[in-house]
């Protein structure tokens, strides 16, 4: 565990800013498209691709641009409209728990 700037204990680490981030601070604009993983993943391998890409359409994500982004529970980032398209691609009878991340297949919820 590491301590976020807001003094909360967390396992998450921003690879870009090299700072611990908690679940609340990850929503701040400065971390909107950052590569965020666990601190232990940073210690093992701190390499990451920059600039990040949408895990659905593979377009480069840029800070402050018009398309909004959404960070999934698995910490992948994608355009919000890509997330909506991805969810609509599932059969209509799919329960929300059946929606998965296009990059890692972890449930979205």
């Amino acid at each position: 565990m590491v301590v976020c700037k807001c003094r909360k204990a967390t396992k998450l680490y921003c690879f870009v800013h090299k700072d611990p981030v908690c679940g609340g601070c990850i929503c701040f604009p400065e971390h909107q498209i950052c590569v965020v993983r666990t601190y232990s993943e940073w210690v093992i391998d701190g390499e990451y691709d920059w600039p990040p890409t949408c895990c659905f359409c593979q377009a480069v994500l840029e800070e402050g641009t018009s398309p909004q982004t959404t960070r999934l529970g698995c910490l992948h980032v994608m355009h919000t409209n890509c997330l909506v398209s991805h969810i609509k691609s599932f059969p209509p009878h799919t329960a929300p728990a059946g929606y998965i991340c296009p990059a890692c297949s972890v449930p979205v919820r």
Side-chain angles (χ1 to χ4, degrees), residues 4-104:
C4 182
K5 287 181 182 178
C6 69
R7 303 174 73 171
K8 291 181 184 172
T10 182
K11 292 182 181 180
L12 300 178
Y13 194 77
C14 174
F15 283 30
V16 178
H17 295 102
K18 297 178 180 58
D19 283 327
V21 291
C22 67
C25 294
I26 199 172
C27 299
F28 290 163
E30 64 262 21
H31 297 294
Q32 181 179 7
I33 63 168
C34 290
V35 177
V36 177
R37 300 284 179 258
T38 63
Y39 183 73
S40 58
E41 287 176 290
W42 168 258
V43 171
I44 293 168
D45 183 14
E47 295 293 318
Y48 61 93
D49 293 328
W50 192 259
T53 57
C54 173
C55 64
F56 185 73
C57 70
Q58 302 305 312
V60 173
L61 299 172
E62 296 181 30
E63 257 181 297
T65 57
S66 58
Q68 289 186 320
T69 58
T70 301
R71 186 175 301 274
L72 305 177
C74 59
L75 302 176
H76 284 111
V77 179
M78 62 192 305
H79 295 114
T80 304
N81 56 357
C82 288
L83 176 60
V84 171
S85 296
H86 177 61
I87 288 173
K88 286 182 178 180
S89 71
F90 286 92
H93 62 277
T94 305
Y99 302 141
I100 57 172
C101 171
C104 65

